[in-house]
Amino acid sequence: MNELESYISSFWNITGADLKMAASFFQQETIKKGTFYLKTGKICNSLSFLRSGLMRFYTIDDQGREVTQWISGKDGFVTELSGLMFNNASPSNIQALTDCECFTLSRTNYMAMEKSIPKWHQLEKLFIARCFIFMEQRVFSLLSMNAEDRYKWLFNYNPALFNEVPLQYLASMMGMTPETLSRIRKKLSS
């Protein structure tokens, strides 16, 4: 099993001939640091698995501040589901924080998979359910945890982010100010 097939298998639990067929729909691409994968108001036309690099999902609030929603890294995926599935304009930006290597599936190929893979509807349903469960966990953590617990949760989930991503993006993603993040880091490191 090659790297792309491993990604596909881990997200959609496809095996055998279906796995080979699914892999044939993806294209390898490079996205340079600073490049937008998606801009607010545009429709997302793809889904990508990150082989390497970091992508930041963010919006601009009413005061013009950037609010980081998520940072996806190696072995994560990148898309905006409401655009991919329903042709809705994106409320978010997705931008490469570093050079990124991706395996990308266009919307056209995503839709073609249902004709080529008999179990596609069942697999797609499980994939979207996993996305929803992950988002529920994130919302729960933001609503129910204090700032220190949110920091610990993110640090346990992906400690590498704290060495690779500007702190203001991490603070925003955890719903705190950069100053609060600095205090928590100092407290936990002493």
Side-chain angles (χ1 to χ4, degrees):
M1 182 181 304
N2 66 34
E3 186 179 12
L4 173 58
E5 290 170 349
S6 293
Y7 283 120
I8 294 168
S9 180
S10 71
F11 279 96
W12 284 304
N13 199 27
I14 299 174
T15 58
D18 287 343
L19 176 59
K20 297 282 186 206
M21 177 60 69
S24 73
F25 286 103
F26 285 79
Q27 300 296 317
Q28 192 167 345
E29 75 173 316
T30 300
I31 300 172
K32 294 292 185 189
K33 178 181 179 176
T35 302
F36 282 88
Y37 182 90
L38 178 66
K39 286 189 175 185
T40 300
K42 301 294 183 190
I43 297 171
C44 188
N45 291 310
S46 58
L47 178 146
S48 297
F49 294 112
L50 283 173
R51 295 180 67 209
S52 65
L54 297 166
M55 293 241 192
R56 178 172 76 117
F57 295 64
Y58 71 96
T59 59
I60 308 292
D61 70 11
D62 294 339
Q63 288 79 42
R65 293 177 301 218
E66 294 180 359
V67 178
T68 301
Q69 299 164 299
W70 189 246
I71 296 169
S72 192
K74 182 180 176 350
D75 299 333
F77 74 94
V78 177
T79 194
E80 201 276 320
L81 279 175
S82 70
L84 185 68
M85 304 301 293
F86 303 110
N87 269 351
N88 293 335
S90 176
S92 304
N93 294 291
I94 304 174
Q95 186 177 27
L97 291 178
T98 63
D99 288 347
C100 297
E101 294 291 328
C102 306
F103 292 114
T104 299
L105 177 66
S106 69
R107 174 192 284 119
T108 302
N109 283 346
Y110 184 87
M111 298 307 173
M113 288 173 83
E114 71 180 282
K115 294 180 182 118
S116 303
I117 301 171
K119 299 184 337 181
W120 178 246
H121 287 293
Q122 176 187 1
L123 299 168
E124 179 185 46
K125 181 179 171 182
L126 292 172
F127 171 70
I128 292 171
R130 286 177 60 200
C131 294
F132 186 75
I133 290 166
F134 183 75
M135 290 304 296
E136 280 183 325
Q137 291 170 339
R138 288 233 22 251
V139 168
F140 176 76
S141 73
L142 284 173
L143 294 176
S144 66
M145 293 179 187
N146 64 37
E148 188 174 316
D149 290 339
R150 290 193 302 270
Y151 172 89
K152 289 176 183 175
W153 179 85
L154 183 60
F155 189 82
N156 287 331
Y157 178 76
N158 191 347
L161 287 179
F162 290 84
N163 295 323
E164 300 171 354
V165 175
L167 291 180
Q168 73 264 20
Y169 296 160
L170 294 175
S172 176
M173 188 169 73
M174 291 184 284
M176 63 182 74
T177 66
E179 295 78 18
T180 300
L181 176 55
S182 292
R183 278 194 304 275
I184 290 169
R185 289 183 72 176
K186 184 176 180 180
K187 175 184 172 187
L188 294 177
S189 67
S190 55

